[in-house]
Amino acid sequence: MFTTISAVVLAGVFAASSAAYGALAQKRASTAFENPASGGGSMFVDTLNGLGEPLNVIISGLSSPEVLNEDGLINYAKAIGFSTECFGIHLGDPFPANLGDGHGPVNQTVELRQDFGSSGVGTCLESLIGGNHFRVYFQNGPSANTGAAFLAVSKEKSVSDHHDIVTDGYDIGRDALVSAAVGTHDFGGKTYVTAAENITGLMAVGSQGVNHGIAVDGIVTLLTVTVQ
């Protein structure tokens, strides 16, 4: 009798636990992101000069959870050709963004640069000659806790040109990152599969209010990253 009762109790506990886990997983995966404007935020980073740079790529909150944190996103970035800054040195002020999640303006979590095939020292080359780079912001506040990562991507000039953005550099940077990301990539013992979808209507087309007076096409690319 003890065995029968124990089995029934354990089965009930397992069923309840499974149901609770399923509910949790469903809640966590309920939305890809929330429009920052809905919570008083913006799809533009504040560049501290009255202008902004576009948050033109979003890593969906429906992605595998291990991608949606700083360490996990850095490992993913290394799989698609980006890495942390040269010797961990960051020049220039961090830029804040308000993702409308209840946190208000928050400085970038991390800035990552094109590594030219070397995750160890390649970003030193990017710092010298220019290339693609992006700032990362997580939408994880009390009013919009989607876990999505918003990226401000742009292609920049060399250090001798003060790392200014190249002509059409926001759209070019976005497209280059997306091209590098889509498909299957490996790094650090992880295999990532990335799918992309273009979204319009989140930001205006044109150069009004955009840093350096560089026009944007209004497209934001949503990446969904699955760890296999």
Side-chain angles (χ1 to χ4, degrees):
M1 179 176 291
F2 176 79
T3 302
T4 301
I5 293 174
S6 298
V8 171
V9 171
L10 287 172
V13 170
F14 178 80
S17 299
S18 297
Y21 176 81
L24 178 62
Q26 184 177 10
K27 181 179 180 181
R28 182 179 61 203
S30 61
T31 185
F33 67 94
E34 294 289 346
N35 184 349
S38 299
S42 173
M43 284 296 295
F44 285 84
V45 172
D46 180 2
T47 51
L48 308 177
N49 59 0
L51 301 171
E53 296 191 348
L55 292 160
N56 47 13
V57 174
I58 301 172
I59 297 180
S60 168
L62 303 179
S63 299
S64 295
E66 54 261 57
V67 178
L68 302 177
N69 59 73
E70 183 176 355
D71 289 343
L73 192 142
I74 289 173
N75 196 78
Y76 172 66
K78 290 179 178 179
I80 63 172
F82 294 82
S83 192
T84 51
E85 296 192 90
C86 180
F87 300 115
I89 299 172
H90 175 71
L91 300 177
D93 296 324
F95 291 160
N98 183 349
L99 299 185
D101 60 0
H103 279 325
V106 175
N107 283 340
Q108 64 208 43
T109 299
V110 66
E111 186 167 346
L112 300 168
R113 298 183 181 276
Q114 186 176 355
D115 66 16
F116 295 97
S118 172
S119 62
V121 297
T123 56
C124 297
L125 181 60
E126 195 280 340
S127 294
L128 288 174
I129 70 171
N132 219 8
H133 77 308
F134 62 93
R135 304 170 193 267
V136 180
Y137 306 82
F138 288 102
Q139 190 175 58
N140 55 12
S143 58
N145 188 15
T146 67
F150 285 63
L151 314 183
V153 190
S154 58
K155 184 174 181 179
E156 62 183 2
K157 299 178 182 179
S158 69
V159 66
S160 62
D161 286 318
H162 311 291
H163 284 166
D164 286 345
I165 307 302
V166 304
T167 302
D168 202 25
Y170 299 119
D171 295 345
I172 289 173
R174 176 203 61 213
D175 292 347
L177 183 146
V178 171
S179 178
V182 169
T184 302
H185 303 278
D186 300 273
F187 191 88
K190 301 283 188 180
T191 299
Y192 304 96
V193 179
T194 303
E197 173 189 358
N198 286 337
I199 298 172
T200 57
L202 292 175
M203 67 174 67
V205 177
S207 62
Q208 184 173 358
V210 183
N211 202 26
H212 304 292
I214 296 173
V216 298
D217 61 12
I219 294 173
V220 177
T221 301
L222 180 68
L223 301 179
T224 303
V225 184
T226 303
V227 178
Q228 290 190 331

